[in-house]
Amino acid sequence: MTVRSTMTAIKHALQRDIFTPNDERLLGIVNVCKAGKKKKNCFLCATGMCVKAAEAPVKNIHDKRTFFPVTTERPVQVKVVKVKKSDKGDFYKRQQTWELRDLTVVDAKDASKENPEFDLHFEKVYRWLASSTAEKNSFISCIWKLNQRYLRKKLEFVNVNSQLLEESVPSGESQSVAGGDEDALDDYQELSTREEQDIESMMETCEYAISNAEAFAEKLFKELQVLDGANIQSIMASEKQVNILMQLLDEALTEVDTIEGKLSSYEEMLQSVKDQMDQISQSNRLIQISNTNNNKLLDEIQFLVNYMDLSKGHIRALQEGDLTSPKGIEACINASEALLQCMSVALRPGHEKLMAVRQQQLLFAELRDTFARRLTNHLNNVFVHQFNHFSHFKMTIPQYYRSSCLSLPGHDQSSTLPQHAAELTLPKHSPLHRDLLRYAKLMEWLKNTHREKYEGLSRTYVDYMSRLYEREIKDFFEVAKIKMAGTSKEAKGKFATLPRKESALKQETESLHGSSGKLTGSTSSLNKLTVQGSNSRRSQSSSLLDMGNMSASDLDVADRTKFDKIFEQVLSELEPLCLAEQDFISKFFKLQQHQTVMPPLAQPETEELDGSMPSRTPPQADQRYALSSEKDTVRLMMNKIFQSIEPELNSLIALGDKIDSFHSLYMLVKMSHHVWTAENVDPASFLSTTLGNVLVTVKRNFDKCISGQIRQMEEVKISKKSKVGILPFVTGFEEFAELAETIFRNAERRGDLDKAYVKLIRAVFTNVEKVANESQKTPRDVVMMENFHHIFSTLSRLKISCLDAERREAKHKYTDHLQSYVINSLGQPLEKLNHFFEGVEARVAQGVREEEVSYQLAFNKQELRKVIKEYPGKEVKKGLDNLYRKVDKHLCEEESLLQVVWHSTQDEFIRQYKHFEGLIGRCYPGSGITMEFTIQDMLEYFSSIAQSH
């Protein structure tokens, strides 16, 4: 009994001092020490974290089962805590803590025999020795219960008696182990402070309260019986007062019955009133519902009448309205818009079931079909009759067109091609467009209501307009070709029977060249250039200018200016024509605002390779060409209407290029400008796309022109009997650059010209060196010097920024070859003197000291005096005069480089003279030997020779 009381006191002290401050409760305890070591007693405690606290009276002081002191708090986190008593005082402290969920194995060592040792496996194995086997078993049972109740993890119990674990479950209960344990633990209530004080005071009055707890409990039980007896006697003594109280209660019940009767009568009266009020309320509610339904019905009727009623005037306009007069067209537009509004009204649920609504819908559908049929037939008749009249115009206007009753008002009947032929203009269709635009709103209505008829009208319009424009455009381009080739009767006669397909362009241009006296030769029959002399260089270089197609005398500035104006006029006429037609299509067919599917009329046509008539794509292929943008639809309609523009432009460009390949420069500038203008307006428009495609052809012709020039440079041949002079392709490059700079001034495609410049100048450089190496009559240095001087002068004058590097290179080559030519020429007038001093320099280079050269037998003073005497002033002047004549014979007159070369020769001669004087002074010191002539004499010689020639 003493040991048990001691453990109870220790539990109470640990709960109060260690666990209560941390909101924990003590669930199990065992007195242990580490196995195999010196005994240092400590306590292992099983604790739980508290989440709720509430005071409750103690139900039992001594529990004869395994004792687990707990608080009223429900643990949610279970731990194993090692507690040790402090050495310096009578208090306990927490030493180490483990989470129960980290425990993996509980080993009791022996299940059949009493053994106080046991192991706990946490992160490592802890071996313990309990103070008794009973305490060990009690602690292990507590661990098992806590695991079953809170964790339910797979905790392994080794060497533990199964009966020990079974006894932990209350017998006779059908609930789970965890539930039974929870009820058992919840029966215990921790003593409050007041209760603890009362127990302590009673224990102090009894001497054997601790030593003989059973006797103390027996004493307390007897005192409780005495108190219970006293309570019973007190109750029995107050029987009279109880009888009086019961009588008063009976009277109170009687009064209550009376009041309840009155309340029942009142309730019946109120219920009658309530029933009457409910009937009145129900009647009012039915009346309100009826009024509401009537109002809603009226609203529905008014809605249908307002939105699904078409006036008789509108019906009459749709059935028999005049589609030729402005008033009739206006009435039809208003009626069609009203009909569309009636058909587009959003019906409310249930309206479609009404007979009247179905009848109105049938009426609207019939009116829609009737008017769509009338409108389609009328516009078809207008298209067919008007464009049939246009198709009969060739060179004159039929008289019956002026008197036709179906002619459109305001149309300029005199605006036909023959009258515009002299000015090279296209007929205007603005009056026709203006009159058709009156039907634009009706076309929009037809597009929204009858897509099929709308597409049929669109197809009819595109078909007839494509025929009309094809005839007008081809006639227009024939006139342009005639103007390009000249106005001679022969040229006109040829052009009157020219084939119209691009495949016949070769025969067209060949017949043109054969009939005109001005056009000779072709690109395939270029004559190779030959150099016939300085007097014929201009005429020979001009063949480079015209690319071998025509003689330069026939291609003057006026001819090219005339071509430039014709080509510009062609583009200027086509541009407003296309823009006006595209604007009309967008407005008339309403293809400019919303996304839609491309109508079948805009399907592209397949062009046969042999130039035959195009064939239509089958209807089943419509979906392949469907587009989502109405801009694309407009462009494809324009492609069909103006399908002849691009081949005609290509034909015209090919003819101009065949007449003179330099026309490609004019066409490149003009076409680039028009493409740039069209792209600024609409980059995806038909005009922008078509001109862009043609621009590619022009750029190819331009590149072909540059390639032709380079090919001519490579094929040039020089005469073996005459001096070379300025090569023809050098002069040709100069003329090309002058012409190109005039044409491309402020042009948009300057980059194309710069690239061509670089290709040409590199070819010029290469072929100048090639000709110089092959030259037999003229020295190589003279050919290089003269031609690169000419190139440098041209580039300096024209100031072409992209050729600055080539200009510097040309100057460098010119300077180097001038110096080389001068040095090589000076060896002739003083030939022996040059050889002598070259030998002196060779001895010095071999290691002979300069002052010892005079001791060499071949270079002594006597030999030097002998050589100097051979070149008196008269001989020197004679040699220089012969040199001047030879230089003059080598150089050409066009570059005027004779004086430049003669001045360089003078400078080089003076330099050599000073060099010879220096060698004499260093190698023959004190000899007193000097030249027979002085520098002043040389200057007079050079001056007199230059003046005499």
Side-chain angles (χ1 to χ4, degrees):
M1 284 297 185
T2 305
V3 175
R4 184 177 179 183
S5 300
T6 303
M7 285 300 294
T8 302
I10 291 173
K11 293 175 186 177
H12 181 70
L14 291 176
Q15 177 66 51
R16 182 187 61 212
D17 299 337
I18 301 297
F19 303 116
T20 299
N22 294 328
D23 292 333
E24 295 177 301
R25 64 180 177 180
L26 181 62
L27 304 177
I29 186 170
V30 59
N31 187 5
V32 297
C33 63
K34 289 188 177 181
K37 294 187 179 180
K38 183 179 180 180
K39 291 188 177 180
K40 288 186 178 181
N41 290 341
C42 57
F43 297 97
L44 288 181
C45 304
T47 66
M49 183 68 70
C50 304
V51 295
K52 184 178 180 182
E55 294 185 359
V58 177
K59 294 183 179 181
N60 204 344
I61 300 176
H62 298 287
D63 194 345
K64 295 182 180 181
R65 294 175 296 171
T66 304
F67 186 75
F68 298 99
V70 297
T71 68
T72 59
E73 298 164 347
R74 184 182 182 90
V76 296
Q77 185 176 9
V78 185
K79 300 180 181 179
V80 177
V81 182
K82 179 183 177 183
V83 178
K84 183 179 180 182
K85 189 174 183 180
S86 176
D87 298 334
K88 297 181 180 181
D90 192 11
F91 62 90
Y92 297 92
K93 62 180 180 179
R94 188 191 298 256
Q95 190 173 20
Q96 194 170 0
T97 303
W98 300 274
E99 295 285 346
L100 186 60
R101 64 173 177 268
D102 297 333
L103 181 62
T104 58
V105 178
V106 177
D107 187 0
K109 297 296 184 181
D110 196 340
S112 58
K113 297 180 181 180
E114 293 186 358
N115 186 356
E117 295 184 1
F118 67 98
D119 296 343
L120 298 180
H121 293 241
F122 288 101
E123 74 279 0
K124 65 179 183 177
V125 179
Y126 293 91
R127 305 183 185 278
W128 305 102
L129 179 64
S131 60
S132 66
T133 304
E135 285 189 17
K136 180 190 79 169
N137 293 337
S138 177
F139 185 75
I140 292 175
S141 177
C142 178
I143 294 296
W144 187 85
K145 291 180 186 180
L146 293 176
N147 178 61
Q148 292 296 319
R149 179 177 180 181
Y150 299 112
L151 301 181
R152 295 184 180 276
K153 61 175 287 187
K154 293 182 179 180
L155 180 58
E156 186 177 359
F157 289 85
V158 182
N159 299 322
V160 177
N161 193 345
S162 59
Q163 295 180 356
L164 178 64
L165 302 181
E166 292 175 358
E167 289 176 358
S168 300
V169 184
S171 60
E173 296 180 357
S174 60
Q175 59 186 1
S176 65
V177 176
D181 183 57
E182 181 177 359
D183 293 339
L185 294 177
D186 289 342
D187 287 341
Y188 175 77
Q189 300 294 333
E190 185 181 7
L191 298 178
S192 65
T193 305
R194 177 67 179 273
E195 291 171 340
E196 289 179 1
Q197 292 175 358
D198 292 341
I199 292 175
E200 289 177 357
S201 62
M202 285 189 299
M203 293 175 67
E204 289 175 356
T205 58
C206 184
E207 296 180 354
Y208 54 85
I210 297 177
S211 61
N212 192 353
E214 291 182 356
F216 179 63
E218 186 68 24
K219 176 184 177 182
L220 293 178
F221 181 71
K222 291 179 179 180
E223 291 178 356
L224 180 61
Q225 287 180 342
V226 172
L227 292 175
D228 290 340
N231 288 336
I232 293 172
Q233 291 176 1
S234 176
I235 292 172
M236 293 177 65
S238 59
E239 183 177 2
K240 183 178 180 180
Q241 287 81 0
V242 171
N243 292 332
I244 295 172
L245 179 61
M246 294 298 292
Q247 184 179 356
L248 292 175
L249 289 174
D250 291 339
E251 293 175 357
L253 289 174
T254 303
E255 186 67 24
V256 168
D257 291 338
T258 303
I259 294 173
E260 285 183 352
K262 291 182 180 180
L263 290 175
S264 297
S265 64
Y266 294 156
E267 184 177 0
E268 291 177 358
M269 296 172 64
L270 290 175
Q271 184 64 35
S272 176
V273 174
K274 179 178 178 295
D275 293 341
Q276 294 177 6
M277 293 303 296
D278 288 341
Q279 291 178 1
I280 294 173
S281 176
Q282 182 68 20
S283 300
N284 290 336
R285 186 161 52 253
L286 293 175
I287 293 172
Q288 186 177 2
I289 291 174
S290 178
N291 291 335
T292 302
N293 290 336
N294 291 333
N295 290 332
K296 289 184 177 179
L297 180 59
L298 181 60
D299 292 339
E300 296 296 329
I301 293 174
Q302 288 178 347
F303 172 80
L304 294 176
V305 171
N306 291 336
Y307 292 100
M308 295 197 69
D309 185 28
L310 196 62
S311 67
K312 293 182 179 180
H314 288 335
I315 295 175
R316 187 168 50 254
L318 293 172
Q319 290 177 343
E320 52 189 35
D322 185 10
L323 290 173
T324 58
S325 64
K327 290 184 178 180
I329 294 174
E330 184 67 24
C332 291
I333 290 173
N334 295 333
S336 63
E337 290 177 350
L339 176 61
L340 181 60
Q341 185 177 3
C342 290
M343 297 184 68
S344 303
V345 65
L347 295 178
R348 298 171 184 173
H351 283 178
E352 66 276 0
K353 297 180 181 179
L354 298 175
M355 180 63 68
V357 172
R358 290 201 295 268
Q359 289 177 354
Q360 283 294 96
Q361 289 177 338
L362 291 175
L363 174 62
F364 295 156
E366 183 180 354
L367 290 174
R368 178 196 63 190
D369 295 340
T370 301
F371 183 68
R373 187 165 51 254
R374 290 182 61 241
L375 178 62
T376 303
N377 292 336
H378 177 77
L379 291 179
N380 266 325
N381 291 334
V382 173
F383 292 159
V384 172
H385 285 83
Q386 294 301 327
F387 299 134
N388 279 340
H389 286 305
F390 272 106
S391 65
H392 292 142
F393 288 139
K394 183 64 178 176
M395 297 302 291
T396 59
I397 306 172
Q399 191 66 28
Y400 67 85
Y401 176 75
R402 296 189 178 94
S403 59
S404 175
C405 61
L406 293 175
S407 63
L408 294 174
H411 180 66
D412 186 6
Q413 298 178 357
S414 62
S415 177
T416 56
L417 180 68
Q419 190 168 356
H420 293 276
E423 295 82 10
L424 193 60
T425 58
L426 281 166
K428 308 300 180 185
H429 298 94
S430 54
L432 173 64
H433 293 163
R434 184 172 58 250
D435 293 331
L436 286 177
L437 283 176
R438 297 182 302 167
Y439 301 96
K441 291 185 178 180
L442 293 178
M443 286 296 295
E444 183 178 12
W445 176 87
L446 193 64
K447 177 182 179 183
N448 295 328
T449 57
H450 266 281
R451 186 74 184 188
E452 190 173 332
K453 294 184 182 297
Y454 166 81
E455 292 172 353
L457 280 176
S458 303
R459 189 180 302 110
T460 301
Y461 176 82
V462 171
D463 288 343
Y464 282 99
M465 286 303 293
S466 62
R467 298 177 194 174
L468 175 63
Y469 277 119
E470 182 178 9
R471 184 188 60 79
E472 291 181 349
I473 289 172
K474 287 187 177 181
D475 291 343
F476 173 74
F477 274 95
E478 285 184 1
V479 174
K481 292 174 184 178
I482 293 173
K483 286 181 174 292
M484 280 186 183
T487 57
S488 65
K489 293 183 180 180
E490 293 181 359
K492 288 183 180 179
K494 290 291 182 180
F495 271 109
T497 58
L498 279 177
R500 293 184 174 181
K501 293 297 177 182
E502 189 177 4
S503 59
L505 176 63
K506 183 175 181 180
Q507 292 83 352
E508 178 186 62
T509 53
E510 286 178 355
S511 63
L512 177 64
H513 283 292
S515 60
S516 175
K518 295 174 67 178
L519 305 177
T520 59
S522 64
T523 307
S524 60
S525 60
L526 294 173
N527 296 323
K528 296 184 179 180
L529 297 175
T530 56
V531 179
Q532 301 297 334
S534 61
N535 294 331
S536 62
R537 278 192 295 270
R538 286 293 180 179
S539 60
Q540 292 295 333
S541 64
S542 63
S543 62
L544 177 68
L545 177 65
D546 60 56
M547 294 299 296
N549 292 324
M550 303 178 63
S551 62
S553 60
D554 294 327
L555 281 180
D556 53 11
V557 177
D559 293 332
R560 292 192 177 122
T561 304
K562 174 184 174 183
F563 174 83
D564 184 37
K565 290 181 178 179
I566 293 172
F567 193 73
E568 172 63 23
Q569 182 67 19
V570 169
L571 296 179
S572 299
E573 286 295 314
L574 290 176
E575 185 172 340
L577 181 72
C578 295
L579 292 178
E581 185 64 30
Q582 180 170 326
D583 183 63
F584 169 75
I585 290 176
S586 299
K587 292 179 179 178
F588 184 69
F589 292 101
K590 297 299 179 182
L591 295 172
Q592 54 191 358
Q593 296 177 358
H594 305 292
Q595 297 277 323
T596 186
V597 178
M598 182 188 68
L601 61 96
Q603 306 302 334
E605 293 184 349
T606 57
E607 190 77 23
E608 298 296 338
L609 295 178
D610 58 355
S612 61
M613 289 300 292
S615 61
R616 296 188 183 278
T617 55
Q620 60 269 22
D622 289 347
Q623 293 301 323
R624 291 184 301 167
Y625 304 104
L627 300 175
S628 60
S629 172
E630 290 193 347
K631 282 189 175 182
D632 295 333
T633 302
V634 173
R635 187 174 67 253
L636 290 177
M637 291 176 68
M638 292 288 292
N639 282 337
K640 180 167 183 192
I641 292 175
F642 293 106
Q643 58 186 339
S644 61
I645 284 184
E646 186 171 341
E648 289 293 339
L649 271 175
N650 288 331
S651 175
L652 185 69
I653 289 168
L655 177 61
D657 186 64
K658 202 167 188 66
I659 295 173
D660 181 5
S661 61
F662 271 21
H663 286 163
S664 61
L665 277 69
Y666 292 94
M667 291 187 288
L668 182 62
V669 173
K670 296 298 182 183
M671 190 62 68
S672 299
H673 175 71
H674 283 271
V675 169
W676 179 80
T677 304
E679 288 181 347
N680 285 340
V681 176
D682 184 4
S685 66
F686 162 78
L687 183 64
S688 176
T689 305
T690 302
L691 294 183
N693 295 337
V694 176
L695 178 60
V696 173
T697 302
V698 174
K699 178 61 170 58
R700 289 173 182 167
N701 290 343
F702 175 76
D703 294 339
K704 185 171 65 175
C705 172
I706 301 303
S707 300
Q709 288 199 18
I710 295 174
R711 185 171 59 254
Q712 285 188 349
M713 295 177 192
E714 296 171 351
E715 294 175 354
V716 69
K717 291 185 177 180
I718 59 173
S719 174
K720 298 180 181 180
K721 298 181 179 179
S722 59
K723 58 184 177 182
V724 176
I726 304 301
L727 293 170
F729 56 78
V730 175
T731 307
F733 173 78
E734 178 185 9
E735 296 175 358
F736 171 82
E738 291 174 349
L739 178 63
E741 288 300 309
T742 303
I743 297 173
F744 278 80
R745 187 178 293 112
N746 301 323
E748 286 81 4
R749 295 183 68 95
R750 176 75 193 191
D752 295 331
L753 179 63
D754 292 342
K755 294 178 182 178
Y757 274 150
V758 174
K759 291 180 181 179
L760 286 175
I761 198 66
R762 299 316 308 179
V764 169
F765 281 14
T766 302
N767 288 283
V768 166
E769 293 185 4
K770 173 185 174 184
V771 172
N773 293 330
E774 295 175 354
S775 174
Q776 298 179 1
K777 184 71 174 179
T778 306
R780 179 179 183 276
D781 289 330
V782 173
V783 176
M784 297 287 286
M785 174 185 65
E786 289 183 327
N787 284 277
F788 279 107
H789 177 266
H790 191 86
I791 294 171
F792 170 71
S793 301
T794 300
L795 297 180
S796 300
R797 174 169 51 86
L798 296 178
K799 298 179 180 179
I800 303 173
S801 59
C802 67
L803 298 181
D804 285 342
E806 285 74 11
R807 178 179 57 81
R808 292 190 294 270
E809 182 180 354
K811 181 180 180 181
H812 178 71
K813 289 180 178 293
Y814 153 69
T815 305
D816 288 349
H817 288 285
L818 171 62
Q819 189 69 20
S820 175
Y821 176 66
V822 169
I823 292 174
N824 292 334
S825 299
L826 281 181
Q828 297 174 1
L830 303 176
E831 185 175 0
K832 293 182 180 181
L833 195 60
N834 273 299
H835 289 330
F836 182 84
F837 283 109
E838 286 176 0
V840 171
E841 290 176 343
R843 293 295 187 275
V844 173
Q846 292 173 2
V848 179
R849 297 175 61 183
E850 290 183 343
E851 58 271 14
E852 296 178 356
V853 171
S854 59
Y855 300 107
Q856 298 289 324
L857 182 61
F859 301 100
N860 55 27
K861 297 177 183 179
Q862 289 77 11
E863 292 295 328
L864 175 60
R865 288 190 181 94
K866 182 178 179 182
V867 172
I868 289 176
K869 286 183 179 180
E870 292 184 9
Y871 292 99
K874 185 177 180 180
E875 284 295 325
V876 171
K877 182 178 180 181
K878 182 179 178 181
L880 290 176
D881 188 63
N882 293 333
L883 178 63
Y884 185 90
R885 289 189 179 92
K886 190 166 187 177
V887 170
D888 183 39
K889 185 178 180 181
H890 288 163
L891 299 179
C892 65
E893 298 177 359
E894 287 81 351
E895 284 304 295
S896 302
L897 290 178
L898 180 59
Q899 297 303 321
V900 176
V901 174
W902 189 243
H903 182 73
S904 298
T905 304
Q906 173 182 298
D907 294 340
E908 180 62 24
F909 198 90
I910 293 174
R911 187 192 65 78
Q912 288 189 10
Y913 180 87
K914 292 179 179 179
H915 178 64
F916 295 159
E917 288 288 338
L919 284 175
I920 292 174
R922 293 193 304 274
C923 299
Y924 304 93
S927 63
I929 303 174
T930 59
M931 303 289 284
E932 294 289 330
F933 54 92
T934 63
I935 293 178
Q936 185 62 34
D937 295 335
M938 285 191 300
L939 293 176
E940 291 178 359
Y941 299 158
F942 277 98
S943 176
S944 62
I945 292 172
Q947 291 177 1
S948 63
H949 293 279

